[in-house]
Amino acid sequence: MNKPHILYAMPHSLYSGRARSYLIKNRIPFEERSTGHESFKADVLPKGKLPTIPTLVTAEGEVIRDGGAIIEYFEAATGRPCQPQGTCQQVISALFDVIGTDGLLRPAMHYRWNFPDDNLEFVRFHFLHSQRDVPEREDKTEAMMNRMRHAAMIFGVTEQSQPVVEALYLEYLDALNAHFEHYPYLLGWRPCIGDFGLVAPMYAHLGRDPYPARLMQQRAPAVYRWLERMNREDQDAPEYFNAGNDFLADDKIPDPLIPVLKILAEDFVPETLAAAELINSRLAEHQPESGAVAVGRLAEALGTADFSVRGETITALAQPHRFYLLQRVQDVFAKLSDEKQTEISTLLEACGMKSLLGAVLSRGIARSENLEVCCLLYTSPSPRDKRQSRMPSSA
């Protein structure tokens, strides 16, 4: 019998759900362990570089940190089963991936931490049991939970912003529910990379914590069914009587996804543009060397950016990781013919997302030895190089 991969993760971890769902849907055998397991600190962390989850140890002993990197590892090895062939679908898939992993942190944090009467004991149980049973376990649990409450504020969840956060989330939930009433996955009859990115906030925080899970079950049952479906090996789509087995034909984008993206754009686009401006200002000021750590605890804090959503000013941490993922959207676009670029520009404009094509950092970000690092200057290709990737060279 083949040795299984080991996934270091936790049930209540936002990013763990992304990698776990991918492994399940692609029938990749794995054993899940908590970071409290003695092997994590002793054997895995020296290779993973940062104490973050998910982190995978392959059957051959290779350590891969970060859910996106775990997915890319298997996609590259298996012919990219979750990558649509059509370029419109590739762009929308990549867009949902970055929105899921970085653009829905506010509602995820708000609905976890600001409803303690419903959530607190459930959340405390998971934080407590993610650690070894040692005398300081209770104190460590409280410290970890307090740190995450503080992180929620850093991501822009304040008493002032909560009404806007809730209004946007409920409208998004309604629109997403309308889509899943027609299709079991974002782009048809099988999950794409964007489905796995979207699972990150929608599962652990918004689909398991008692208050938001109940809200989702009652208000958006088709979304809740999608969450169940994303954690089963089979297609799990008996309620669709015309089900297929592939992405939609002819590079089609389902009509119900357009309202979903338009609602998400109200928050995601102004935050992204404000963050790009702040990060580029910091990059110009400090001029980090190529290879300097750009994301994670080893990176320097860049500060917060202000942006407006429905007349409310929100202040949130400017996160370079968002632009690492957004590069994939921009790189797909940069390779295309003029005709195809016009088609995708029109699509993104209809979604309110077109300005994201120009939201680039002056320095690109790439992965090197399990860390996201700064690259050489990030420049657009010349017309004769239009079909070449915009991904900058790694250090």
Side-chain angles (χ1 to χ4, degrees):
M1 182 176 178
N2 292 332
K3 183 180 178 182
H5 307 284
I6 299 174
L7 180 70
Y8 289 87
M10 291 185 287
H12 62 293
S13 158
L14 186 147
Y15 296 110
S16 293
R18 180 190 189 194
R20 184 190 301 110
S21 175
Y22 182 89
L23 297 177
I24 291 171
K25 295 303 287 186
N26 288 276
R27 302 186 179 186
I28 299 169
F30 71 98
E31 171 190 332
E32 185 164 337
R33 295 180 183 175
S34 166
T35 53
H37 194 281
E38 59 185 11
S39 60
F40 183 75
K41 186 174 182 179
D43 304 326
V44 178
L45 186 54
K47 297 179 180 179
K49 301 296 198 309
L50 293 172
T52 62
I53 51 177
T55 295
L56 183 87
V57 179
T58 70
E60 296 73 33
E62 182 178 354
V63 174
I64 306 170
R65 185 193 62 79
D66 180 72
I70 292 168
I71 291 174
E72 172 59 23
Y73 171 83
F74 289 108
E75 282 285 293
T78 56
R80 302 194 179 279
C82 300
Q83 175 78 292
Q85 292 297 310
T87 50
C88 285
Q89 291 184 351
Q90 286 180 21
V91 165
I92 296 302
S93 174
L95 192 54
F96 269 106
D97 189 41
V98 61
I99 289 171
T101 52
D102 275 75
L104 286 168
L105 291 177
R106 265 182 295 285
M109 291 293 187
H110 169 58
Y111 283 102
R112 167 163 287 182
W113 297 111
N114 292 327
F115 297 88
D117 291 347
D118 297 270
N119 294 342
L120 189 57
E121 289 309 312
F122 180 83
V123 174
R124 179 181 284 120
F125 171 88
H126 285 290
F127 273 94
L128 180 69
H129 289 276
S130 67
Q131 302 179 68
R132 296 175 65 82
D133 189 4
V134 294
E136 61 271 21
R137 190 185 195 187
E138 293 280 354
D139 291 340
K140 284 186 175 181
T141 296
E142 290 304 315
M144 188 181 301
M145 291 175 65
N146 287 334
R147 186 165 64 248
M148 294 310 299
R149 288 190 190 96
H150 179 65
M153 292 186 288
I154 292 176
F155 292 144
V157 181
T158 64
E159 186 175 351
Q160 183 180 11
S161 70
Q162 286 176 21
V164 172
V165 171
E166 288 189 7
L168 282 170
Y169 175 68
L170 294 178
E171 291 176 27
Y172 151 75
L173 198 60
D174 291 343
L176 190 61
N177 192 69
H179 168 77
F180 286 131
E181 287 179 347
H182 295 280
Y183 301 101
Y185 302 101
L186 289 175
L187 296 176
W189 308 106
R190 59 190 293 186
C192 64
I193 296 298
D195 283 279
F196 299 110
L198 200 60
V199 157
M202 298 300 289
Y203 177 66
H205 285 232
L206 297 166
R208 286 185 79 250
D209 290 355
Y211 183 87
R214 185 169 63 249
L215 174 65
M216 186 186 296
Q217 288 171 332
Q218 294 173 346
R219 187 175 182 123
V223 178
Y224 194 81
R225 276 290 293 127
W226 168 76
L227 284 181
E228 293 180 327
R229 190 175 299 123
M230 289 296 290
N231 285 281
R232 283 183 49 161
E233 288 186 351
D234 63 339
Q235 189 186 42
D236 187 22
E239 61 264 53
Y240 302 94
F241 295 100
N242 62 336
N245 57 14
D246 206 344
F247 302 116
L248 295 181
D250 302 321
D251 202 18
K252 177 178 173 57
I253 304 302
D255 290 338
L257 275 190
I258 304 303
V260 176
L261 288 165
K262 287 178 72 174
I263 294 166
L264 291 168
E266 290 191 52
D267 179 75
F268 185 74
V269 170
E271 180 176 16
T272 302
L273 297 179
E277 183 178 358
L278 183 136
I279 294 172
N280 280 328
S281 174
R282 296 289 190 273
L283 289 172
E285 181 180 354
H286 297 290
Q287 293 290 321
E289 294 183 1
S290 183
V293 178
V295 175
R297 296 181 186 179
L298 300 180
E300 294 183 8
L302 293 170
T304 57
D306 296 336
F307 54 97
S308 179
V309 181
R310 296 187 176 180
E312 187 68 58
T313 298
I314 297 178
T315 301
L317 184 70
Q319 301 182 79
H321 187 261
R322 171 174 302 204
F323 298 92
Y324 170 65
L325 295 177
L326 195 57
Q327 285 174 179
R328 301 177 186 182
V329 177
Q330 296 156 347
D331 289 345
V332 171
F333 183 82
K335 298 175 187 177
L336 303 177
S337 65
D338 290 342
E339 181 181 1
K340 201 65 180 181
Q341 284 190 350
T342 299
E343 180 183 355
I344 290 177
S345 293
T346 301
L347 171 64
L348 294 179
E349 188 170 18
C351 301
M353 298 275 188
K354 184 179 177 181
S355 58
L356 295 177
L357 293 173
V360 299
L361 301 185
S362 59
R363 303 288 294 273
I365 300 174
R367 282 182 61 85
S368 176
E369 298 181 350
N370 272 324
L371 293 173
E372 289 79 18
V373 298
C374 291
C375 301
L376 303 177
L377 292 180
Y378 193 60
T379 57
S380 300
S382 64
R384 71 175 58 185
D385 298 324
K386 185 178 289 184
R387 291 183 175 271
Q388 298 180 2
S389 171
R390 289 175 55 174
M391 182 66 74
S393 302
S394 60

